[in-house]
Each structure stands twice: as C-alpha cells, then as structure tokens.
Amino acid sequence: MTQHVNYDTNEYPKTLLLGVYAPYNPTKNVTSYFEEFVNLAKTNNVQNYQTEFIKIRDIDAAYFLTKGKLQEIKDLCVKDKIEQVIISETLSAQQERNLSDFLDCSIFDRTHLILEIFEKNAHSAEGKMQVGIAMMQFQKSRLAGQGVGMSQQRGVRGMRGGYGETRKEKDRRHIENTILKLTKQLEALQSTRNTQRKHRLTTGVPQICIIGYTNAGKSTILNALTKSNVLAEDKLFATLDTTTRELYIDKKKVGVISDTVGFIQQLPHKLIEAFKSTLSELQYADLLVQVVDISDQNWESQIQVVHEILKELEVEKDMVYVFNKADKAIGIENMTGAMSKYQPYVITSALHKETLKPLADYLGSWSERTKKKPLITT
Ligand code: GTP
C-alpha cells in the first residue's frame, strides 16, 4: 500500500516512511502499528513524505529486507527520487549502512527516530543527560561499523592520539569521554534526587506514579488532579521528564504523584536502558495509576506493552486502571466486559475535569486504607 503526500516543497528532503511488519512483531493490529509509526515521524516534524507498508517473512542479516522486497523499494526510491528512508524497525549498523549504499538514500531506523524525538522533548537537566548518553551510545554503535580505510588520518608521533590514529578511533574516544562526563553529571544529579526521595520515604508520604502508553492522557490527568501546568500535547512523548507534585483530595494530602515517560511498543532496548533511571521512580511507588486511551482500537495491546516494560523493570505494584478519552471512544457502552478484566478501574475524560471524580475518590480511599508509617531513619 503506497500513499503520497505532496507538499510541493523543496524545503524538506523527499522521504519514504517505510513501515515493515516483521516476523518478530507480536502486534495484532498492524494497521495501528503503522499509524503509530507515521505519528512518530510527524511528531519528529517529518514533512514531504510518502508511505509504503510491507510485510516480510524473513530478516536478511545484511540488508534487513530480503532480495525481492529490497529491489521493490529500490525501484520506488528511484522512481520517486526519494532522498531519505525512515524505517519502522531497529536496524543494525551494518544493515543501515548497506541499505543506505544500495538505496542511495539516508536511512533512519526506529531507534534514531525515537532518539530524535526524545532529544527535542527532554527539558530537565536529567532528561537531557539521559538522552545525550543514549544518543552518544547510538553514534558509537554506528561508528563501530564504519570502515577505517576512508577515515585514516595521519597522526603525529608523541601527540595525544598517537601515530597513525584513525579518525574513527578519535571519534570513538571523543564519544566515550562525553558519555563518561555525562554519566558522572547524571550520577551527581541522581544522588540529589535520591536524597529528596529518601526524605519523602522517611516521612511516610505515599508515592503514586502515573504510567501508560504515550499520548494516553497522563499529563492531562496529572494537571487536572493537581491543578498544575504540565505540558499536555497531542504528540508522542510530550513528557520525558518525571514531574512530581503534591496531591490533595478534598483538602487532605494524599501523597505525591509523578508523571512518567510514555511507553511504546518495540521501544528500542537502548532506550529502555537510558530511561531506567527516570523510571526508577516506579520502584518506590506505592500505587501505579495506569492511564489507557480507551478510544484507541489497540488499547488492550497497549496495556500489554506497559505490562511487559514493567516486567522488564521488575516493577510489581498495586495498580488502578484509568480508561481515559471515554468522550471519543465509540461504542464504550459495549466495552464493560473487556474493561472489567482490568481491576480496579475507573472511566474518565480528562478534558472534562468533573469526570475525574471516581479517580479522585479511589485515590482518597486508597490513601485512607494504606496510611504509611514513616520509616525509621538510620
Ligand atoms: P506523552 O507525554 O506522550 O506520554 O502523553 P500523555 O500520556 O502525557 O498525554 P497528554 O496528557 O499529553 O495528552 C495527549 C493528548 O490527548 C492531548 O492533546 C490531550 O489534550 C488529549 N487528551 C487527554 N485526555 C483526553 C480525553 O479524555 N479526551 C480527549 N478527547 N482528549 C484527551
């Protein structure tokens, strides 16, 4: 299936968004997997694009795409004068380079695309550092595959870098030094965060974390519950940094509540690693509020994605499900059976604050039930 979007502009490179349904992909709804991929590209401000969605039965170790498909895509790129291809999957450095040579285009894979979105959306010092480290590690992996021949540089004996050091080695050392520097800065910041967290733990304040698939409405719910002004945007990954607020219900302090980075299917492994520390907040949570966009046809598999990531992070906590965007969920009245598999749950339309009352009531009574005793400090 090919779809053209012509903006009649030379300002942006002519881009092919190549959605690939690969054999390892567990999604049941491939259409929404592809839609989500196009949304990721749009979130990254990709313009002047056309789409092509294909299914492959095998993965080629060298080119990712097997011979026949590869030739089809090559023909398409030549015919439509494509300058860059963004592919919905994660490629190895070797596959990326081979594809780029064969198609004669720039290639961006899923990791690169998500990293660029993360880079634009990280606002806090911690978020920026985490993305910076992930970006550097990505660049390092791409460097590893580059040939040395072309970038051979003449070194000067006795100088730093040494005789005959290649450009690649220099670049690698620069990247490694930057990663080291950023990691140290991050550790220093995290130790401040740990001190604050320890303080909260010792004072026995309950911790509530809002989690969920990207764009489900987490920030909107946090804003509505705490009357704060956290960025809520109709874009994927608008929130990357953990925001923590005090939560009062009926003028009684219930605890502190945090927003977290949105989850997404096929989140490249490198990025889970990068965000483990942002998500470390979850280890200390007493309650997880999982926000689900019930108007998305794929809501059940999005819950599964969230559960898989939690498993990977070894987080097992009490959870309340918030089926949000009820206002635009067609046929919600027939979905009670499906929703009741996830207990306890409430239904909300966070744009209309009054619909949050069942959630506020739940949090109020949860807080009464689980009044924490302050921990004894050592
Ligand atoms: P990420 O930061 O990407 O993980 O997103 P998020 O889960 O924090 O979602 P956010 O609160 O930014 O909301 C995403 C979009 O959905 C925004 O445009 C919101 O205005 C919209 N939205 C949130 N809740 C509702 C709702 O109940 N109904 C409708 N129709 N739109 C909503």
Side-chain angles (χ1 to χ4, degrees):
M1 178 176 44
T2 311
Q3 196 192 344
H4 290 263
V5 177
N6 285 318
Y7 288 99
D8 285 333
T9 169
N10 292 326
E11 201 183 325
Y12 298 97
K14 197 138 196 275
T15 302
L16 173 68
L17 299 183
L18 180 60
V20 182
Y21 185 31
Y24 55 73
N25 192 332
T27 191
K28 291 198 188 85
N29 188 338
V30 69
T31 311
S32 56
Y33 180 71
F34 288 154
E35 270 170 23
E36 183 182 275
F37 165 58
V38 174
N39 280 339
L40 276 175
K42 283 192 199 158
T43 299
N44 201 25
N45 200 26
V46 172
Q47 316 241 0
N48 199 22
Y49 65 84
Q50 66 190 60
T51 57
E52 177 76 10
F53 301 133
I54 57 171
K55 181 175 178 170
I56 53 172
R57 284 199 189 83
D58 292 304
I59 308 286
D60 184 81
Y63 287 89
F64 189 76
L65 302 177
T66 41
K67 225 171 172 188
K69 288 282 183 238
L70 189 62
Q71 191 56 49
E72 269 175 38
I73 301 299
K74 168 85 183 171
D75 295 343
L76 180 70
C77 288
V78 171
K79 177 171 78 62
D80 290 340
K81 300 189 175 63
I82 296 295
E83 293 162 273
Q84 66 177 15
V85 177
I86 306 180
I87 186 163
S88 62
E89 305 307 296
T90 301
L91 300 176
S92 70
Q94 180 81 41
Q95 288 165 339
E96 187 180 298
R97 209 175 37 262
N98 290 344
L99 273 179
S100 174
D101 289 346
F102 185 75
L103 300 177
D104 196 18
C105 292
S106 309
I107 306 286
F108 295 87
D109 78 337
R110 187 178 191 84
T111 309
H112 201 157
L113 176 63
I114 297 181
L115 266 173
E116 284 200 353
I117 298 173
F118 276 19
E119 208 169 30
K120 286 185 190 131
N121 291 337
H123 301 292
S124 72
E126 192 172 4
K128 282 184 179 156
M129 279 173 206
Q130 279 171 333
V131 178
I133 292 170
M135 196 52 124
M136 287 281 157
Q137 276 163 345
F138 179 77
Q139 282 172 7
K140 193 176 146 192
S141 74
R142 271 22 191 177
L143 206 63
Q146 267 175 26
V148 284
M150 279 172 64
S151 54
Q152 200 88 35
Q153 268 195 349
R154 184 169 295 181
V156 180
R157 213 184 276 273
M159 298 252 309
R160 194 161 175 251
Y163 181 73
E165 185 185 43
T166 61
R167 172 75 192 271
K168 192 172 105 176
E169 282 159 4
K170 261 194 163 172
D171 287 351
R172 177 182 298 125
R173 209 184 46 232
H174 171 72
I175 289 177
E176 279 170 355
N177 286 343
T178 313
I179 293 177
L180 204 70
K181 202 170 106 195
L182 283 173
T183 309
K184 277 193 182 144
Q185 286 173 357
L186 187 61
E187 277 166 10
L189 257 177
Q190 279 164 352
S191 104
T192 318
R193 186 199 268 275
N194 282 341
T195 314
Q196 290 163 351
R197 187 184 281 141
K198 208 166 167 188
H199 175 72
R200 291 205 306 258
L201 286 174
T202 53
T203 49
V205 177
Q207 319 277 309
I208 300 164
C209 278
I210 304 184
I211 58 166
Y213 207 76
T214 182
N215 218 36
K218 298 178 293 299
S219 302
T220 311
I221 288 181
L222 180 73
N223 282 339
L225 285 175
T226 63
K227 302 180 183 66
S228 59
N229 202 7
V230 173
L231 185 71
E233 258 196 290
D234 201 8
K235 280 191 168 179
L236 305 182
F237 301 115
T239 315
L240 271 193
D241 310 306
T242 313
T243 314
T244 303
R245 300 265 180 271
E246 291 190 317
L247 175 66
Y248 287 85
I249 303 233
D250 294 333
K251 300 198 172 111
K252 272 193 237 147
K253 184 166 169 174
V254 163
V256 290
I257 185 160
S258 311
D259 194 5
T260 52
V261 57
F263 295 0
I264 193 166
Q265 58 189 312
Q266 308 283 331
L267 183 67
H269 210 269
K270 281 195 188 84
L271 299 184
I272 299 186
E273 277 302 311
F275 278 82
K276 263 191 177 158
S277 69
T278 299
L279 292 169
S280 66
E281 198 78 15
L282 302 182
Q283 310 282 358
Y284 304 92
D286 298 296
L287 177 71
L288 301 181
V289 174
Q290 182 176 167
V291 181
V292 180
D293 177 353
I294 193 69
S295 72
D296 191 311
Q297 297 176 35
N298 237 4
W299 64 269
E300 274 204 277
S301 48
Q302 295 180 348
I303 292 180
Q304 294 318 317
V305 170
V306 172
H307 288 175
E308 275 157 31
I309 296 178
L310 289 178
K311 203 167 149 202
E312 177 144 358
L313 295 168
E314 294 175 13
V315 170
E316 225 179 295
K317 303 280 175 178
D318 286 346
M319 182 137 60
V320 54
Y321 295 87
V322 179
F323 292 114
N324 189 39
K325 304 199 187 180
D327 55 297
K328 58 175 207 172
I330 299 159
I332 190 165
E333 52 292 348
N334 304 322
M335 285 157 74
T336 319
M339 287 189 286
S340 54
K341 279 194 266 167
Y342 304 94
Q343 295 288 350
Y345 76 87
V346 292
I347 298 175
T348 61
S349 303
L351 293 184
H352 311 284
K353 269 190 184 167
E354 64 286 359
T355 68
L356 289 177
K357 184 152 187 336
L359 176 60
D361 289 347
Y362 179 86
L363 295 174
S365 63
W366 170 82
S367 148
E368 285 303 316
R369 280 198 309 275
T370 55
K371 278 231 152 58
K372 280 179 86 178
K373 288 195 186 71
L375 296 177
I376 297 159
T377 31
T378 46

